[in-house]
């Protein structure tokens, strides 16, 4: 069983959200090092984007499991009839 879900819209959105999360963390670090409190907004954005990445990754895994179960059900139905 592969570690990553098959490529599709949910996986792509998860990857994009993860990229945004990493960039927001970098921006937060740079802001705090420069002495700007705007880094707080970047930390909040990192939190939201990490939640989005987690959601879309779970969604992709659920879609893969549903597709595998549907294929197994069709295979069993074909074997019986």
């Amino acid at each position: 069983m592969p570690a990553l879900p098959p490529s599709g819209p949910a996986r792509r959105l998860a990857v994009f959200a993860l990229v945004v999360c990493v960039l927001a963390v970098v921006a937060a670090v740079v802001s705090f090092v420069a002495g700007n409190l705007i880094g707080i907004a970047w930390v909040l954005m990192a939190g939201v984007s990490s939640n989005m990445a987690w959601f879309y990754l779970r969604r992709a895994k659920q879609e893969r499991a549903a597709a595998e179960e549907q294929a197994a059900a069709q295979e069993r139905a074909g074997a019986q009839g």
Side-chain angles (χ1 to χ4, degrees):
M1 184 157 128
L4 293 174
S7 62
R11 179 174 173 203
R12 234 171 305 157
L13 287 171
V15 171
F16 290 151
L18 187 61
V19 169
V20 169
C21 180
V22 170
L23 292 175
V25 168
V26 170
V29 169
V30 170
S31 293
F32 284 130
V33 167
N36 295 328
L37 292 178
I38 195 73
I40 295 170
W42 289 114
V43 169
L44 294 174
M45 183 179 285
V48 169
S49 61
S50 74
N51 286 344
M52 289 176 60
W54 181 258
F55 171 79
Y56 284 119
L57 186 62
R58 275 188 40 216
R59 184 174 171 187
K61 286 181 181 180
Q62 289 172 349
E63 288 174 358
R64 179 183 64 189
E68 288 174 356
E69 185 168 325
Q70 185 179 12
Q74 288 177 350
E75 186 176 303
R76 284 192 303 266
Q80 290 176 357

